[in-house]
Amino acid sequence: MAIAACYTMDLYCECLECKKPESDYQYNGGFAQYFGENWADCKSQAKAEGWSIHRDRDTCFAPGHKKFKVK
Ligand SMILES: [Zn+2]
């Protein structure tokens, strides 16, 4: 297996459900890891799968998790 990527991105969902102390975010889709050539490459992969990423705030939401956010 050839690995050309040199950048790793770990995504931890920041939604209320995943931020609960008892949350099993690693098993409910609140965690993901991407490999790419740089941050933007990883971000595009994550976005393609539905992740919502806010670089300025350094926060992200797993696909479909944003609905848990308080209005
Ligand atoms: Zn979440």
Side-chain angles (χ1 to χ4, degrees):
M1 179 169 149
I3 300 178
C6 57
Y7 190 93
T8 305
M9 174 189 277
D10 292 325
L11 294 177
Y12 296 91
C13 181
E14 297 274 340
C15 79
L16 292 178
E17 285 297 312
C18 289
K19 292 188 84 170
K20 286 179 180 175
E22 69 274 21
S23 172
D24 248 348
Y25 62 83
Q26 297 212 40
Y27 299 99
N28 69 10
F31 172 77
Q33 190 172 54
Y34 293 94
F35 302 93
E37 299 193 357
N38 50 49
W39 193 92
D41 187 24
C42 291
K43 182 183 178 182
S44 67
Q45 291 181 50
K47 293 197 77 168
E49 294 194 7
W51 281 81
S52 178
I53 302 172
H54 305 277
R55 189 173 194 177
D56 293 343
R57 293 170 153 189
D58 195 28
T59 59
C60 58
F61 296 95
H65 282 216
K66 210 171 182 181
K67 62 188 176 185
F68 293 121
K69 194 176 182 182
V70 173
K71 292 177 183 176

